[in-house]
Amino acid sequence: MRILIAGFQHETNTFAPTPADYRSFLHGGGFPALCRGQALFELAEVNLPLGGFISAAQSAGHTLVPVLWAAAAPSAAVTEEAFERLAGEIVEAARQGGFDAIYLDLHGAMVCAHCDDGEGELLSRLREVVGPELPIAASLDLHANVTAGMLEHASALVAYRTYPHVDMAATGARALGLLERIFAGERLYHHAVRLPFLIPINAGSTMLEPAASVYAGLELRDRESAATLSFAAGFPAADFPECGPVVWGHGADRARLVEAVEALAAEIVALESRWSVPFLDAFDAVAEAQRLAQGASRPVVIADTQDNPGAGGDASTVGLLRALLAANVERAALGLICDPEAAELAHAAGEGARLRFSLGGTPSLGEPPLEVDCEVIRLSDGCCRYDGPMMHGTLAELGPCAQLRIQGVSVLVSSRKAQLIDRNLLRMVGIEPERMAILVLKSSVHFRADFAPISEAILVAKVPGPMAADPADLPWRRLGEGMRSKPMGMPFSPA
Ligand SMILES: [Zn+2]
């Protein structure tokens, strides 16, 4: 096959403060920077769906026609300009023809300023250009809000099966498998079931039950039904009617496919009350971490989930930092606070300097910055390579960064936001995570891949921030009629 390949990923939190403009896609915000043409092949070894697809396709002898790959940190809606420029380039490349199939590396939860369903829109424009028969396969994030439009216009969709997403490359390879079946002439049917409740992201980790068993069971269900099943738990912070979890599959035997999809959906719904995790407030989380850290040889991790820049936060809230300082903790580290001005001041002052300034703060929440006295311990250009299980091989470019020490707390301050999912981000400014008693990480679940193996315990804190850990806390206006805004929650009805 000659396969046109492109990637365009965004996870949109419509309640978040900051939109994703074209510039956000240029540097990637923790993802690889925007690349075009032959540069896509440099992602072959990165744990991204595109990387897995490229490796599998090249070893199978297919020819690839690369267009572009772009992603931005999760945030509020993608601007019309950013969508039209990037989607427009992909559609234009498709218009040139000269290929037998298309592979897209998509997220599946992109909302744009001018349309609710970014991926459905892109797929429908491509379908218009290439006609009804040409195979189009896309890989999706486990947090995709899968829409009827996406299912209609793609020939096949497959989602990750792990959260933390350690199987991104494997999912890209799975998408190739489906393209090959279609190209070989197999007629693949699809069947989908929309589930009736939103799943909080913290509750969806496949390192915890019930997600661990549900996802682990997919392989057996695939074999038994000769289909490829997916379960996207959805991204429960996108206010549009198709927000929510969807189970679907593609298979040549329609009856067995339908049976398998319906059975999987029924099992997930039967476990409804178990899709939740306990939360602590900032002060309780710090007190509990101090208690657990006594006599422990490994750090206690607190996830600052509501300011997770991987879900729309700006990595700027200071609620947990305030609680750490109030408790006079020792050997604590926090990563990261995105504050370009603080990073610039630290760089101007130099290592060893003592400074007093205002750090972080989130105006959209009415949260003022924190006045701090600090010492500049280590400066960095903000470039590092991830080695953790999830994004290994990715080069992060966070702009000028610094380790600031405030009492007993070492804070990684950056110029661009990124989710704290990899220990190398802390090491970049001289923080050795294994030597800390308490680590506060701005991440919801992805940190578990690299940090669970070195941690004594993991606590999840619910501190004011833009990403509601409990989706029922959000001021929904456009959710689907009857959708429960959390497991066992109240059905939504439009005002
Ligand atoms: Zn995800």
Side-chain angles (χ1 to χ4, degrees):
M1 275 188 282
R2 273 179 72 83
I3 310 170
L4 190 84
I5 58 171
F8 186 16
Q9 287 209 21
H10 192 255
E11 180 180 79
T12 308
N13 175 345
T14 61
F15 302 97
T18 314
D21 58 12
Y22 184 72
R23 282 186 36 172
S24 318
F25 288 91
L26 280 181
H27 57 69
F31 290 101
L34 172 64
C35 58
R36 293 185 168 89
Q38 297 298 312
L40 268 69
F41 296 120
E42 286 165 26
L43 298 175
E45 299 306 317
V46 177
N47 182 31
L48 284 172
L50 181 87
F53 186 91
I54 289 173
S55 300
Q58 287 181 332
S59 40
H62 301 300
T63 303
L64 302 178
V65 184
V67 185
L68 68 80
W69 191 91
S75 65
V78 175
T79 62
E80 180 171 354
E81 190 219 354
F83 179 82
E84 294 300 336
R85 278 178 81 169
L86 295 166
E89 266 185 64
I90 299 170
V91 174
E92 232 8 82
R95 210 183 297 282
Q96 305 305 312
F99 51 87
D100 311 304
I102 298 177
Y103 163 69
L104 298 172
D105 175 356
L106 305 176
H107 183 288
M110 181 194 294
V111 178
C112 306
H114 62 312
C115 83
D116 280 343
D117 177 12
E119 289 87 356
E121 180 65 25
L122 171 61
L123 284 162
S124 109
R125 291 185 194 183
L126 285 170
R127 187 52 81 200
E128 211 176 291
V129 165
V130 301
E133 297 304 327
L134 189 116
I136 304 178
S139 54
L140 301 177
D141 194 280
L142 177 146
H143 297 105
N145 287 315
V146 176
T147 64
M150 290 158 63
L151 286 161
E152 180 191 339
H153 299 297
S155 318
L157 300 172
V158 285
Y160 311 156
R161 295 177 167 189
T162 58
Y163 183 29
H165 304 327
V166 292
D167 69 331
M168 290 189 278
T171 307
R174 212 145 19 90
L176 176 67
L178 284 166
L179 270 188
E180 286 174 332
R181 286 177 65 181
I182 300 168
F183 192 68
E186 253 191 282
R187 166 86 202 263
L188 292 188
Y189 298 95
H190 76 255
H191 183 68
V193 175
R194 184 166 290 281
L195 307 186
F197 54 90
L198 298 182
I199 297 177
I201 59 172
N202 299 90
S205 172
T206 55
M207 294 172 82
L208 308 170
E209 291 298 344
S213 301
V214 168
Y215 283 96
L218 287 179
E219 214 166 299
L220 179 62
R221 290 177 193 271
D222 278 358
R223 272 203 304 278
E224 287 173 351
S225 60
T228 300
L229 302 185
S230 289
F231 165 35
F235 184 60
D239 196 8
F240 79 115
E242 291 182 275
C243 179
V246 174
V247 172
W248 76 96
H250 302 276
D253 182 332
R254 197 173 206 164
R256 282 163 78 196
L257 168 71
V258 169
E259 190 186 347
V261 169
E262 295 285 341
L264 173 58
E267 180 187 308
I268 297 163
V269 172
L271 296 167
E272 180 167 353
S273 64
R274 296 184 55 208
W275 295 94
S276 66
V277 288
F279 299 118
L280 298 166
D281 72 24
F283 291 94
D284 288 348
V286 170
E288 178 66 0
Q290 283 181 298
R291 190 184 70 77
L292 292 168
Q294 272 173 15
S297 58
R298 308 193 303 170
V300 177
V301 174
I302 304 174
D304 189 359
T305 184
Q306 297 209 117
D307 191 29
N308 171 13
D314 277 346
S316 61
T317 67
V318 290
L320 270 165
L321 178 56
R322 211 182 283 278
L324 290 168
L325 298 174
N328 260 317
V329 296
E330 291 295 328
R331 283 195 304 127
L334 185 154
L336 50 78
I337 288 185
C338 176
D339 186 332
E341 278 175 37
E344 196 185 321
L345 286 171
H347 276 254
E351 291 179 2
R354 293 188 170 276
L355 296 171
R356 177 171 180 80
F357 57 74
S358 312
L359 184 65
T362 311
S364 62
L365 299 169
E367 181 197 57
L370 193 61
E371 300 297 321
V372 293
D373 287 305
C374 67
E375 184 183 349
V376 181
I377 304 293
R378 181 79 70 86
L379 300 173
S380 159
D381 62 3
C383 296
C384 78
R385 184 182 179 281
Y386 291 175
D387 284 330
M390 194 175 134
M391 295 284 277
H392 57 82
T394 300
L395 296 174
E397 295 177 30
L398 304 190
C401 289
Q403 181 198 150
L404 304 181
R405 184 154 312 147
I406 309 164
Q407 298 175 31
V409 186
S410 294
V411 181
L412 162 57
V413 172
S414 69
S415 297
R416 295 190 196 118
K417 64 178 184 173
Q419 183 175 182
L420 208 300
I421 60 169
D422 198 288
R423 281 181 269 167
N424 283 358
L425 285 169
L426 296 171
R427 292 180 180 133
M428 179 175 78
V429 291
I431 298 171
E432 288 301 326
E434 297 80 359
R435 295 205 192 134
M436 295 292 147
I438 298 175
L439 290 171
V440 172
L441 305 178
K442 290 192 185 272
S443 174
S444 294
V445 169
H446 284 323
F447 72 90
R448 288 180 187 265
D450 203 27
F451 286 88
I454 64 143
S455 67
E456 177 73 17
I458 292 173
L459 308 173
V460 183
K462 191 177 157 188
V463 182
M467 174 57 200
D470 183 346
D473 290 347
L474 291 168
W476 297 99
R477 291 190 310 119
R478 304 181 53 224
L479 207 53
E481 170 98 54
M483 177 63 85
R484 299 194 275 285
S485 57
K486 66 174 176 181
M488 314 306 286
M490 293 292 288
F492 179 78
S493 58

